[in-house]
């Protein structure tokens, strides 16, 4: 059986090609896969199509990738007050952004995960985010059609993994991570702790192993930016 | 413009706190709403929701007590109350969009007489702007209270006939609490429910960009 | 603050009117709110519009309500090999059924819970379940439009509740229960155990209290049928 | 019809077990597929999924060991393997519909040459019939293996040009394992991969309602 455990973080991300569609977990400083992002920066993958709630915090989180000009387009909900590298690239027209309501960002990724082909929502009707989207009325409610967001890779952060890939998250650090784990073709997780198979109670597993493809021990940065 | 005292931001928050029913599940937005948790009346229990996946947020964490995996939507370390729970961001917004929260209190740049809300982007501001959870919350929550100053720094009304700022949502606002008044959005137009101490309904109307309906003199804004 | 705890199961369901739209949790004998169903049978609510994976097991689970002819229409996925009371009512044209693929049943309830107005899926395309539904092609895939399923009440079963309504489920007995809890206007849960507030770890809560409106202690039937 | 021995249901299951790759996440349907877990080759680890919210089902529970809150989709008490997990039914079908399972093995009434599957309802049968998880599983799973007898009790082919029974899904079947053959559904038609011991490709073709492609004599069905 193929092992999911990688001892070398650079090996775990070695096949992420230029132009990859990539999801990055994290919110409010918590649950960011900072060590995976740093490895990606070292590797030099460029022309990335990114999906993330925000756009980096100074040099931290996705900041380093904008600083190095590795991201070409991003789908995000809230770039954030310290996304200065992103804002500079945006002003220089080196990156484009699709701004999405935060819950709709979650649902579009979940739709991809769940094999749904689109959904109707009232969120965003009459606002800038409705531009270019199909609009209709269902049961008297104006709504727009939102499409799934898929990805080649998700970089996520969890607290514990067993060697099969079952995950748990710490406090509010799960945020986008469980959703992205389900939505990407290949999910790579960095964890605080790797535990033996059988040591996570089946009722306590937050992301089942089926969604997790590669596991690395987080070493170095926990919070960045 | 009358040169009379207006409510402080803290007083707006204090007044808005009275809109929260006992037992309510509540989301507080950036700005003035974030001050509300300091002003809950005695005997009222509410459960604070955060869109990063917390129900039952308590007070801010004290120095030395912080866990940076336990932060609110503004990235501030917080604590929990007994009976709190964690969940992922999709479930957090299932709660907002699905109408499960009782009240959301949001900041605002403009509110129209139909209850349209603009609160995420100032026209002409540089940079990308950011939506965050505001559109989901405004769209789905049963009662949306907006806290804001009654006018801009330049004295322009923020309660208007039609919003000119980029919209957050259509017909989503229930009540507006400002430094001058409490205004309800109703099917027949805006209703001036209360006015700030020393202010008259007519004076408040002069600083409002849409028609306010009121009978006789509305009562003074209560803070407790 | 309004109390969610009811000491009397009949009081907890006293306001369920004739014609109510009702969800009932449970699958494979596990996680059925059997005591709530028995109370509903005692109360005599009729003309029920039911939503449930199956249609009763002999007299057990929903069987008693079909036996008493209290259900007028049901949305279900798999009536089941021992749904004899249902099958008799169906043959007598006393009840109608909408058969729905099981995962689509879940998603339609979740859509209601999440404030979505409809979604597109490839499941059921070209089959009987596509009859009368809007069909289109998205990204080269044939799909049909599925609509949310709402309910006035959900009757669910959990293992533990605290007094605020936070729930945990036992093993595979969660099945449809957490979804229905989120989808109905009023969710009534029967539990094996009621515990003090604060005694369920916030990371272990499976259904947050916001979705739960009334709690009763299960007394009597655990498995039925 | 040649009066020669056909594979038993157990042997069909045994052959189908060889289609499961090491490390695969697998859902087993009602009927013959449910026998497969007894025939996994040595050295192969697969993780069984159940649509009621289990990943990592183990063997059936022994007498006295049952917990009736831990049952498979057929209501049979089961056990867990180390590393198992529980989740709700929506997430269980997110896995099926979203393409997360590697293989599903389903029973079948008919399979068409394009890979359409009919497996939930017999025309004219009394009662409501029931769909269960079959449509979600057939629609989403990467590899769908169908286990069935090659012909009905009356000798009619179950592999057909067009299904006449109510459909479960269109173009969803990857491979068919019967008591006479292993047949792959390919973009250019059905390919006869293996035939049962003592049977010839021509004989199998005679009992099949659609054209089987094969080069020379296909190899004998292996069971291990």
């Amino acid at each position: 059986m193929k092992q999911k455990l990688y001892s070398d973080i650079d090996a775990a991300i070695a096949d992420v090609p230029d132009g990859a569609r990539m999801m990055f977990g994290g919110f409010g400083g918590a649950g960011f896969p900072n060590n995976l992002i740093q490895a990606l920066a070292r590797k030099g993958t460029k022309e990335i199509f990114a999906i993330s709630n925000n756009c980096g915090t100074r040099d931290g989180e996705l900041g380093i990738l904008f600083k190095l000009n590795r991201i070409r387009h991003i789908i995000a909900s809230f770039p954030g007050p310290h996304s200065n590298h992103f804002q500079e690239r945006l002003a220089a027209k080196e990156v484009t952004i699709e701004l999405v309501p935060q819950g709709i960002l979650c649902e579009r990724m979940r739709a991809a995960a769940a094999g749904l082909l689109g959904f109707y929502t009232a969120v965003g009707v009459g606002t800038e985010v409705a531009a270019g989207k199909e609009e209709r009325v269902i049961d008297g409610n104006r709504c727009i059609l939102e499409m799934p967001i898929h990805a080649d890779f998700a970089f996520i952060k969890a607290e514990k993994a067993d060697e099969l890939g079952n995950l748990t998250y710490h406090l509010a650090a799960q945020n986008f991570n469980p959703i992205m784990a389900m939505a990407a073709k290949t999910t790579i997780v960095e964890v605080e702790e790797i535990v033996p198979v059988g040591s996570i109670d089946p009722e306590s597993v937050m992301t089942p192993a089926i969604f997790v493809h590669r596991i690395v021990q987080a070493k170095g940065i926990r919070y960045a930016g | 413009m009358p040169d009379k005292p207006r409510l402080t931001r803290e007083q707006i928050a204090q007044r808005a706190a009275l809109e929260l029913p006992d037992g309510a599940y509540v989301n507080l937005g950036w700005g003035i709403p974030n001050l509300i948790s300091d002003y809950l009346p005695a005997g009222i229990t509410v459960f604070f929701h955060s869109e990063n996946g917390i129900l039952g947020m308590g007070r801010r964490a004290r120095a030395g007590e912080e866990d940076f995996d336990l932060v609110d939507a503004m990235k501030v370390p917080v604590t929990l109350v007994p009976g709190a729970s964690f969940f992922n961001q999709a479930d957090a917004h299932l709660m907002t969009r699905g109408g499960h929260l009782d009240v959301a209190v949001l900041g605002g740049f403009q509110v129209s007489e139909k209850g349209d809300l603009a609160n995420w982007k100032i026209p002409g501001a540089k940079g990308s702007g950011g939506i965050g959870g505001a559109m989901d919350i405004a769209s789905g929550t049963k009662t949306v209270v907006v806290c804001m100053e009654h006018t801009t720094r330049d004295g322009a009304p923020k309660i208007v006939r039609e919003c000119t700022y980029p919209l957050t949502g259509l017909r989503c606002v229930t009540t507006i609490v400002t430094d001058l008044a409490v205004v309800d959005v109703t099917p027949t137009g805006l209703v001036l429910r209360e006015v700030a101490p020393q202010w008259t309904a007519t004076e408040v109307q002069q600083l409002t960009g849409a028609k306010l309906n009121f009978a006789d003199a509305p009562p003074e804004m209560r803070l407790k």
Side-chain angles (χ1 to χ4, degrees), chain A residues 72 88-96:
Chain A
R72 194 56 60 228
E88 285 163 21
R89 297 291 172 195
L90 184 70
K93 298 192 193 307
E94 291 170 319
V95 63
T96 52

Side-chain angles (χ1 to χ4, degrees), chain B residues 196-207:
Chain B
Q198 304 181 39
W199 288 74
T200 68
T202 308
E203 289 166 347
V204 171
Q205 174 67 80
Q206 284 169 350
L207 294 172

Side-chain angles (χ1 to χ4, degrees), chain A residues 141-172:
Chain A
N141 300 298
R142 287 174 65 187
C143 56
I144 53 179
L145 178 61
E146 293 283 3
M147 304 300 285
I149 298 175
H150 294 268
D152 303 312
F153 293 90
F155 280 12
I156 67 164
K157 168 71 191 286
E159 182 181 31
K160 291 184 193 176
D162 70 20
E163 292 168 14
L164 294 175
N166 290 300
L167 306 182
T168 65
Y169 303 93
H170 187 230
L171 305 176

